[in-house]
Amino acid sequence: MKGGEKMALSIINIHVNVTGTSTKFFNILAANLAVTDGTTIAATAFLDDSGNAATAFPVVTNGYYNFYINGVLQEGGSYTVSATELTFNDVTGTLTAGTPLVIEAVELVTQT
């Protein structure tokens, strides 16, 4: 463009609709649990949103998992979730009997 010339305004309209599903799984520890790096809890030890025994956790491909201990959201790097289990990473301690554990699996879907 040369000095004084004007460029036509171009408006770009991007419309993205994001929806999601959230599935929660619950466990109240029946006994104390000593936690070290690599400690696991099977998916089958949890109940689903309907109170039924879980058979597996959903595999989240476009979303995330949240993990709560006694209602407190845990740091993302302190755990991993697979279809079959929850695994503690680089943490040490003891969770006492009666402590509630909640896993939330959130899958996001985008529509344009």
Side-chain angles (χ1 to χ4, degrees):
M1 287 182 26
K2 296 181 183 176
E5 289 182 27
K6 295 183 180 178
M7 186 170 106
L9 178 62
S10 177
I11 297 176
I12 300 172
N13 184 7
I14 299 174
H15 177 75
V16 177
N17 187 17
V18 177
T19 60
T21 59
S22 172
T23 308
K24 295 174 194 72
F25 299 87
F26 307 89
N27 178 328
I28 297 178
L29 293 176
N32 289 351
L33 177 66
V35 175
T36 58
D37 184 34
T39 299
T40 63
I41 302 175
T44 54
F46 287 78
L47 301 176
D48 65 16
D49 279 332
S50 300
N52 300 314
T55 56
F57 296 129
V59 175
V60 174
T61 56
N62 187 32
Y64 54 90
Y65 297 99
N66 285 324
F67 175 49
Y68 301 85
I69 298 175
N70 205 22
V72 178
L73 180 62
Q74 303 302 298
E75 293 179 16
S78 66
Y79 64 93
T80 53
V81 178
S82 71
T84 58
E85 63 193 11
L86 164 74
T87 303
F88 291 90
N89 301 321
D90 299 323
V91 292
T92 303
T94 300
L95 298 174
T96 57
T99 300
L101 308 177
V102 178
I103 294 175
E104 179 184 31
V106 178
E107 186 72 40
L108 302 173
V109 177
T110 56
Q111 300 167 342
T112 56

